Amino acid sequence: MHIHHVKKLAFRSASALAALPLLFSASAFSATPEPVDVTVTFVEAITITEVNALDFGLLDSTMANTETVAIDTADGTTDGGANIVGGTQEAAEVTITATAGVAVTLLVNNVTDGTHYTLASFVCNYNGAGESGCDGGGQANTSVASATVLIGATLTRNAVAMTAGVDNGSFDINMTYD
């Protein structure tokens, strides 16, 4: 064979090899495209407005260490030692506005205890749905446009020496879209 024919044959072989990927291209083995929908729900900002504070009323200053007074969301009380001596015992009340029909979590956190007591075991009633715990992991609900939320808790006397007078604490109530 002449060199000319060898070059021609080599050129033809190289051309055939170069075209080979075109016969077996990725597009020949690709899946049929599948459209994927996009869903977006735009929601309004959640607003929370305090209507009234959690009020334990007048408690006896001789309340013993570890004694408790609890207020439920219907303003009912449980007094572990006849410590309620007057005043009004009332669950806290807030109004929450949000986009209706969305999964939400209601949560009490950032509790600031008073000097002479601790607050715990928070319960909430979201828009009349019934009372259940709303501290710790929070309380799951489906939002309504405007809801009344009632909040109760248990006050436990601590060991700090008692002095008569006002002893305020606080807590945050939060609601988030899930």
Side-chain angles (χ1 to χ4, degrees):
M1 253 206 249
H2 283 79
I3 292 185
H4 176 64
H5 286 126
V6 172
K7 283 185 180 180
K8 238 181 179 184
L9 182 61
F11 177 75
R12 285 185 182 160
S13 297
S15 297
L17 286 175
L20 196 56
L22 296 175
L23 294 174
F24 300 104
S25 71
S27 64
F29 295 103
S30 67
T32 303
E34 178 65 28
V36 177
D37 294 333
V38 175
T39 301
V40 177
T41 302
F42 292 100
V43 295
E44 297 172 15
I46 296 171
T47 61
I48 303 173
T49 306
E50 182 179 332
V51 176
N52 59 269
L54 177 60
D55 192 348
F56 286 89
L58 303 174
L59 302 181
D60 189 342
S61 66
T62 64
M63 183 175 180
N65 181 22
T66 72
E67 283 189 319
T68 62
V69 173
I71 298 176
D72 64 28
T73 60
D75 299 335
T77 59
T78 304
D79 186 349
N83 295 297
I84 298 173
V85 296
T88 301
Q89 290 72 43
E90 187 173 33
E93 180 179 339
V94 297
T95 300
I96 299 179
T97 60
T99 299
V102 180
V104 292
T105 299
L106 190 62
L107 176 66
V108 168
N109 62 4
N110 298 325
V111 177
T112 301
D113 298 322
T115 303
H116 302 100
Y117 63 87
T118 58
L119 292 171
S121 303
F122 286 86
V123 291
C124 294
N125 185 335
Y126 181 79
N127 204 46
E131 178 177 292
S132 66
C134 55
D135 50 0
Q139 182 190 82
N141 293 287
T142 299
S143 62
V144 296
S146 180
T148 296
V149 179
L150 301 170
I151 308 159
T154 299
L155 177 149
T156 302
R157 174 74 169 90
N158 64 25
V160 174
M162 178 59 76
T163 54
V166 175
D167 190 0
N168 293 330
S170 66
F171 58 90
D172 290 343
I173 182 78
N174 296 295
M175 191 168 85
T176 56
Y177 292 113
D178 295 340

